Amino acid sequence: MKKLIFNTTYSMPVPDARNFVIWVQQTMLPAIEQDGVLDEPRLLRVLSHHDEQTECFSLQFSVPNSAMLHKWLLRQGQPLDEEMKRVFDNRIVGFSTLMEEV
């Protein structure tokens, strides 16, 4: 069975980057791991980004199918996103991509 990879790329001002990493490691990744629907969660720094005022990160995890991802997004993803917005206001922007291993 082919694995689906859900990737969200986040961009933020450099001063927020350290707190973002801490928040993801202490809040988001444990919630994802505890839920058990998503596998292999990982946070990566985007190195190809060349803006001195912002920093970018990629949060990725695998999911068996898009239906399970949709259920997770409604049940857990949206509340985590809302919490991130409360913590960081509008200083962090992101976009998501669903990919399939080939």
Side-chain angles (χ1 to χ4, degrees), residues 6 27 32 36 39 42 44 46 49 59 75 81 83 85 89 92 98:
F6 187 69
T27 303
I32 290 170
D39 294 319
R42 59 197 168 269
L44 304 108
V46 177
H49 179 71
L59 179 62
R75 183 184 69 246
D81 188 51
E83 182 178 341
K85 287 178 184 175
D89 197 27
I92 295 178
L98 182 60

Side-chain angles (χ1 to χ4, degrees), residues 41-74:
R42 59 197 168 269
L43 181 65
L44 304 108
R45 184 181 316 275
V46 177
L47 298 178
S48 59
H49 179 71
H50 296 291
D51 181 349
E52 292 181 14
Q53 296 182 8
T54 60
E55 194 153 359
C56 293
F57 295 91
S58 171
L59 179 62
Q60 300 178 353
F61 47 81
S62 62
V63 62
N65 57 60
S66 59
M68 289 182 80
L69 174 62
H70 181 72
K71 287 178 186 176
W72 181 86
L73 287 170
L74 292 175

Side-chain angles (χ1 to χ4, degrees), residues 12-27:
M12 69 215 60
V14 169
D16 289 307
R18 178 172 156 73
N19 289 334
F20 173 77
V21 170
I22 292 168
W23 184 84
V24 169
Q25 291 173 337
Q26 293 182 353
T27 303

Side-chain angles (χ1 to χ4, degrees), residues 68-101:
M68 289 182 80
L69 174 62
H70 181 72
K71 287 178 186 176
W72 181 86
L73 287 170
L74 292 175
R75 183 184 69 246
Q76 191 176 27
Q78 287 180 347
L80 285 169
D81 188 51
E82 290 169 8
E83 182 178 341
M84 183 188 306
K85 287 178 184 175
R86 279 192 303 274
V87 171
F88 295 99
D89 197 27
N90 292 321
R91 298 184 309 272
I92 295 178
V93 295
F95 68 92
S96 296
T97 308
L98 182 60
M99 302 172 281
E100 180 180 52
E101 283 186 356

